[in-house]
Structure formats: C-alpha cells, structure tokens
Amino acid sequence: MTKRRIAGYVVVIAAVLGLAVGIGIGAGAGWSREGSAQGRSDACFEADVGLAIKSSLDKLDACSRLLRDRRLTSKLRADALAQRADAQLQLRRPERAVADLSEAIRLQPTDPALFGARAESYKRMGQFARAYADSERAVALAPDAPRPYLLRGQIALELGRPDQAQADAATLIRLVPNRAEGYLLRGDALLAKGQYDDAVGAFDRAVALDPTSGAAYGARAHARQMRGNLDAALADIRSAIDRQPMFALWHAYEGDILRYIGDLDGALAAFNRELVIHPDFGAALVGRALTYERKGDVAAARADFERALNHSSDIWDKAASARETARARLAALKSGAPVPVTLPAPRKAENQTSLPTPTIATASLAQPAPAPRPAAERAKPQMQGRRIALVIGNSAYRNVPALANPQKDAAAVAAALRTIGFEQVTLSVDVDRARMAETLRTFAADAAKADWAMVYYAGHGMEVGGQNYLIPVDAKLATDRDAPTQAIALAEIMAAIDGAKKLKLVVLDACRDNPFAPAAGDSRHVVAAIGTGVSGSTVTRSAARGLGEPTLAGASLVVFAAKHGQVALDGEGGNSPFAVAFAQRIVTPGVEIDKIFRLVRDDVLEATAGRQEPYTYGSLPAREEFFFLAAR
C-alpha cells in the first residue's frame, strides 16, 4: 500500500459502517436514521412522489429540482441541501458538499447534524482544522449524542492528537457501552500512541461486541501487524473478508501481508481479487506492482506503476500517495539500477529487532565506470557543486546498554556517500559531547564553503520541551532538565549546516527505545525520547514519543527514520532497515532527491512489514533539481 499504509484503514472503517458520514450525525439521529435525519431522507421526494433514487446522481438531481421550489420553508430547504450534500460526498465531491452544507447551516444554525456533515466533508478534503472546528460545534450542540464524539475523535487522530481521540472514545463508550464503535476509536488512538498491546485489547472488545463486524477484525489485524505478528494479522484480515467480501480494501491488505511474508503468488491473487472489485484503486495497483518487483517481473511492475500514476482513482483518499510511490518507482526502474532485495519478514517477530536485514557490503555500492559521454553530459555531476557530509554513529553508550548497529550504519552510509562523489565525508563514531560539539564547529566552517552540507546521525535521540536532541555516548540523563547540558540539540545541527549555499540535509536514524527511562517507582520527570517506547529488554533506537516538527527555511530537508509514534528497528543483519534502504538508494543514478526519499520510505515499509515509516520534513525549490547521483 502507500502513504500511511494500514494506519488509514481504521479511519475509513466508520465510513464503511455508515458512522459519522453525511447527515447521520446529530442529537436526534442517535445510531439510526431517525429524528431530523429522517425528515431529510424524505425532503428530496416531496416534489416528485414515487421517484426511486437508483444512485447518488439520481438523488442529486431530485434534490436540485426540489431546491428550485421557492415555497420551501427554511427547514425543508436546509434538509434538501443536506441531502444533496450527502449525494455530493458519495460522488467524491466534498467541496460541493461543503458549499451546500454552509448554506444549510446559515438556514439552521443550531442543527448539530449539519455541522457534523460539514466536518466530514472537510475531512475528506484534508482540511482537518476546519473539520475539527465543526466537530467541536456538533459536540457543543449535542453533548449527549454519540456520533459527534466519534467524528471529533477521528479528526483528532488526523491532527496528531491521540489523547483527544482517546478521551472521545471514553465518552463514546460511556454513552453507548454495548456498541463496538467506541472501542474501535480507542484502539485507533492507542495505535497512534504506539501502544499496540493495549490497542489489540480494545479491538478484542470490539470484536466481542460485534462479531459480525469486518471493521473490528480489520482494525485488530492492523494492531497485530504492528506488533510483528503477521500470522495473526492475516487470520484477522481473512475474517474481515468473510464478513465483508465485497469490501475491496481488505483484499489489498491481505495482499500486502502475503507479500511481506514472501508468499508472492498469494499476494498477486489477493490484489487481483481487489482489482476486480475496484479496477482503478491506485493503492492496489501499487501493491501488485511491488509484488511483481519482488518476483523480478519488471515489465509487469512498470505497467502497474504506469496505470497507478495515470489512471488511479481517489478511492479512500489513497490515490495521491499511490501516485507518489509510482512516480518514484518508475524513475528508479528507468535508471537501470537493480531493484534492492527485500527479505521476507518473519511471520511472528520474537522481539523488536527480530527482523532480517542484509548487511550492507561497501563493495556492492560501487558503480561501474561510466562510458564516455559528451562534454555537456559529463558536466552534469559538477552541477551539484561541492558536497560535504558529517556522518556520526553512536553505539558504545557508557551509561546505558550499547546499540548494535549505529557504528556499522554510519560506516556504510559514509562509504556510499564517497562512492557517489561527495568531496568530503567525515566519519565520527562513539563520540562524547565535547567531541561532538567540536566536530560540529569544524563542520560548520566547511559547510560555509560548500553547496551541499549533510549530517547523518545514527544512535539515541529524544525530544524534550519541543526541542530534539541527539545523545552523545557519555550522556547522563536523570531528568529532562539535563538534556541541554548532556545532549546536542537538533537546532545546533541545523546551525552547523546553515551556511551551505544550495542544500541543507539532516538524516536521523535515531528512533530507538528510551534508555534513560526511570526505574520502577521513580517519579522524577524523565526525558521522552524519539519514537515510541517498547517494554522489555531489547535495545532499539526509539523512545517515548516522536520527534517534534523542525522549523526549516530555504532548501532544507530533515529526514526521520521512523515517523512519530513508531519504533525504528535495528535489524539482525548488521545494519538497520533504514540504513540499508538509504545506502542502497542514494546510488541510483538520475533520480531526484525527493523521489529517492520516497523510495527509501517505501523500502523501509517493505522491509519492516509496515511497522516503520520514515518521514521527511521540508521542501526543495522547484527551480533546481538535486541528485545524489546524476544520470550517467
């Protein structure tokens, strides 16, 4: 799948169930289409009794004809506008639905159902701040109705507010304790917080309350996937298919899981079933193309990527992400570079590092000598200017357990950067704070004379009070107040590369477990490190909650190995999945840097069975293209 992978499924589950969609939200509606909502369901028929609505287009036409009747009362006009908006939403025209609902709200400003419907429309448009404001209004107007809380909780998740979603789930459960929807929302909030075991428990309750619900099984499949139990996830998604065989998304999810575990023929069959139901579903086309890639059928992969790029629909709002992946994969295939090998994921991970990854061999990164080229083409690599990099790998921590791979990750990345023509690559391993600060000062002076300045860091990292910190090997962190004196702020890294003339790039493979967590019974305010903490003895590079969004200016990119709420896995083959993907992809010739990071993102998702998704902040100016390795 593409952007957000399976995480987006729980958000669309409510739409599948008919919850919080269109006009069904409101004090009178409860969990059925009654009260004011029932009036709306009849509003578009009064001018033409007996009209049978066979489709949303028929409904749209009936409501439009009714709205031409000037004798309508304000209430009936608002009802007809709401019904027409519902049809527009079903036709994937949310901006038109917003226009109708705004007029309906002008006529009936105290109707919570109208605010809820407009919130859903804004949500479909990706305007989550406006959607949230409308959901707040719906809650205020109908504080005892369950649906507005469901909608507000879903939108809160889109805005990165899982605590709010969890609070709304608690209210929903209190209002309707014997329904599954509140537990679905609670589980989705716990997933967003990285609390996968608790999320499974919430979805268990949803399954118990509604064993006929495909949504409950699909949601639990996602939680089990994020725990690394792909066999259990596959069983759940097949239960979801049994209950909703025509809900195409479940077949695509089944295809993803089968591809992750290496059952490529089974994955193709699942995607083919999906594409019979929705032939233009971009995410399924991309999923099938990725499967063809892993089978070595480049021609079939290219055909599906082309189709996803040019002909995919916006079903479930995934087409844009599918097109991004298709565009990057096509560029990589066109380059002639070999497709990186992805090892099958274990069916059940024993721990957070139970993930096979190939060890990067420096020799495999070397490119063959290019054939002679015309002078104009030979000048192309020089267009990138002078490029320098500082590569840091901290493994041998003195006051907490050591990390296995950062030192090796840093060495592999440094070798890859030298291979692609970086003029200066400084490799520093196991650095204490004093040495790290001195290295940054030296690098800042060099960056001021460079066109590109890049920092790659592998090791522990954390966020404290809105500031992101990288952790030297000698750090002693008892409370959050120690971070400024014991660690190096990301702001210092950004300042060190600020003098570069063209491109400033920071890559952080620093999302592991929090090694500075307090002992049992210790109530001190301890630091919260990058990523989501995972209990147990396994040492990974993440910790409590994710990195804060950096403030960037100019041609700047900051890349995190794992997005907020996820753990960056170390792997078992000597390198982390992120380091493997990064080192392999930057040697791809002729692919722009933004597509390179899309390839890295998708490769990491493939290698980790969807458990880790890298994230990129910042943007590059359109007037100039940037390449790690220019076309030969």
Side-chain angles (χ1 to χ4, degrees):
M1 304 299 286
T2 53
K3 187 178 180 183
R4 294 187 66 198
R5 292 274 166 164
I6 310 305
Y9 288 169
V10 180
V11 175
V12 301
I13 283 168
V16 177
L17 296 175
L19 304 176
V21 176
I23 61 167
I25 308 164
W31 292 96
S32 62
R33 300 178 66 88
E34 61 186 20
S36 60
Q38 182 61 51
R40 292 192 184 97
S41 65
D42 295 333
C44 295
F45 305 96
E46 293 186 1
D48 193 351
V49 176
L51 176 68
I53 291 186
K54 299 177 182 178
S55 69
S56 295
L57 285 171
D58 291 334
K59 183 176 181 179
L60 182 69
D61 180 65
C63 291
S64 295
R65 284 187 285 109
L66 179 60
L67 285 164
R68 290 195 287 270
D69 187 347
R70 296 185 178 182
R71 298 169 298 175
L72 288 179
T73 64
S74 294
K75 175 65 168 63
L76 285 176
R77 185 169 296 278
D79 288 348
L81 285 164
Q83 275 292 318
R84 188 167 71 177
D86 188 56
Q88 299 282 21
L89 207 58
Q90 298 305 314
L91 293 167
R92 302 175 194 163
R93 301 169 182 170
E95 66 288 342
R96 298 185 186 181
V98 165
D100 277 346
L101 289 163
S102 296
E103 176 61 15
I105 287 170
R106 187 187 68 79
L107 296 169
Q108 296 289 314
T110 61
D111 189 337
L114 297 175
F115 284 99
R118 193 171 68 175
E120 177 64 32
S121 301
Y122 278 134
K123 181 160 73 78
R124 300 283 185 92
M125 295 169 67
Q127 296 186 16
F128 299 116
R130 288 184 172 181
Y132 190 81
D134 272 353
S135 70
E136 290 258 83
R137 184 64 176 151
V139 168
L141 289 168
D144 295 325
R147 284 180 181 247
Y149 293 100
L150 175 62
L151 182 60
R152 186 173 69 178
Q154 291 174 335
I155 297 168
L157 288 173
E158 296 286 354
L159 290 170
R161 303 174 187 173
D163 289 337
Q164 176 64 62
Q166 197 168 349
D168 282 335
T171 302
L172 199 55
I173 291 168
R174 176 177 59 81
L175 291 171
V176 280
N178 295 321
R179 292 193 62 90
E181 288 76 14
Y183 292 97
L184 286 172
L185 181 59
R186 174 179 285 175
D188 214 9
L190 292 166
L191 279 173
K193 297 169 76 170
Q195 298 175 13
Y196 303 133
D197 288 340
D198 292 338
V200 169
F203 295 136
D204 284 344
R205 182 62 177 153
V207 168
L209 287 169
D210 188 1
T212 66
S213 169
Y217 283 99
R220 191 171 68 180
H222 176 210
R224 286 176 163 172
Q225 173 204 344
M226 297 305 290
R227 291 173 70 189
N229 192 340
L230 297 184
D231 275 341
L234 188 60
D236 268 345
I237 206 61
R238 286 174 171 166
S239 293
I241 290 170
D242 287 343
R243 287 153 179 78
Q244 292 177 304
M246 295 305 293
F247 184 43
L249 201 59
W250 300 144
H251 297 285
Y253 189 179
E254 180 188 24
D256 278 338
I257 296 174
L258 289 169
R259 185 179 69 250
Y260 294 151
I261 63 178
D263 183 356
L264 302 183
D265 291 334
L268 286 179
F271 286 120
N272 288 336
R273 287 191 293 271
E274 152 79 14
L275 290 165
V276 167
I277 302 171
H278 286 292
D280 60 348
F281 184 21
L285 289 167
V286 165
R288 189 170 69 178
L290 292 170
T291 307
Y292 280 131
E293 268 196 352
R294 288 178 69 163
K295 285 176 70 72
D297 191 341
V298 174
R302 188 192 297 268
D304 270 350
F305 284 134
E306 291 279 7
R307 187 172 158 196
L309 183 60
N310 297 310
H311 303 293
S312 59
S313 74
D314 63 350
I315 186 170
W316 293 297
D317 303 320
K318 291 179 177 292
S321 181
R323 284 191 287 270
E324 288 178 30
T325 289
R327 191 174 291 111
R329 305 303 277 208
L330 284 168
L333 292 175
K334 183 180 178 181
S335 76
V339 177
V341 174
T342 301
L343 301 178
R347 289 176 172 268
K348 185 174 182 180
E350 296 300 323
N351 54 55
Q352 283 303 115
T353 60
S354 180
L355 184 78
T357 54
T359 300
I360 306 171
T362 302
S364 70
L365 300 173
Q367 300 296 311
R373 295 167 293 167
E377 189 176 343
R378 284 202 305 271
K380 211 170 188 180
Q382 280 70 45
M383 291 174 60
Q384 302 299 308
R386 185 170 187 268
R387 301 185 296 174
I388 67 172
L390 170 61
V391 180
I392 300 172
N394 283 346
S395 288
Y397 283 89
R398 301 172 190 172
N399 302 304
V400 292
L403 292 171
N405 290 335
Q407 193 177 106
K408 292 175 283 187
D409 292 341
V413 168
L417 292 171
R418 293 186 183 109
T419 296
I420 61 175
F422 270 63
E423 293 183 29
Q424 174 185 316
V425 179
T426 302
L427 175 61
S428 297
V429 297
D430 293 335
V431 291
D432 58 25
R433 191 179 190 282
R435 184 178 162 204
M436 199 166 172
E438 178 58 33
T439 301
L440 283 173
R441 283 192 291 270
T442 302
F443 189 71
D446 294 335
K449 306 169 190 173
D451 294 285
W452 286 35
M454 172 185 162
V455 175
Y456 172 91
Y457 172 83
H460 282 303
M462 62 183 59
E463 184 272 334
V464 178
Q467 292 288 324
N468 300 310
Y469 292 92
L470 311 185
I471 312 303
V473 295
D474 61 340
K476 294 181 179 180
L477 291 155
T479 75
D480 55 0
R481 294 186 297 275
D482 296 329
T485 58
Q486 293 289 310
I488 299 291
L490 177 58
E492 296 179 56
I493 306 293
M494 299 304 298
I497 64 175
D498 191 55
K501 299 177 182 66
K502 289 186 177 181
L503 177 64
K504 293 158 274 191
L505 173 62
V506 176
V507 180
L508 299 180
D509 194 358
C511 298
R512 270 67 168 171
D513 278 339
N514 183 1
F516 304 102
D522 191 341
S523 61
R524 293 174 298 173
H525 185 194
V526 297
V527 294
I530 298 167
T532 296
V534 177
S535 60
S537 60
T538 300
V539 179
T540 57
R541 298 185 207 174
S542 149
R545 292 301 298 156
L547 284 165
E549 182 174 353
T551 301
L552 305 176
S556 302
L557 294 177
V558 174
V559 181
F560 299 154
K563 73 175 186 178
H564 180 76
Q566 289 185 348
V567 168
L569 308 179
D570 265 342
E572 296 175 335
N575 295 105
S576 75
F578 180 84
V580 170
F582 182 68
Q584 288 180 337
R585 286 298 186 179
I586 63 175
V587 300
T588 306
V591 179
E592 296 171 74
I593 192 171
D594 57 341
K595 293 186 180 70
I596 288 291
F597 282 117
R598 183 72 185 194
L599 292 167
V600 170
R601 167 199 176 275
D602 292 339
D603 288 351
V604 172
L605 280 165
E606 285 292 298
T608 63
R611 292 159 64 194
Q612 179 180 334
E613 179 182 357
Y615 200 87
T616 300
Y617 288 104
S619 60
L620 299 177
R623 66 181 180 272
E624 183 174 0
E625 293 181 331
F626 295 90
F627 300 88
F628 278 111
L629 183 63
R632 299 189 183 95

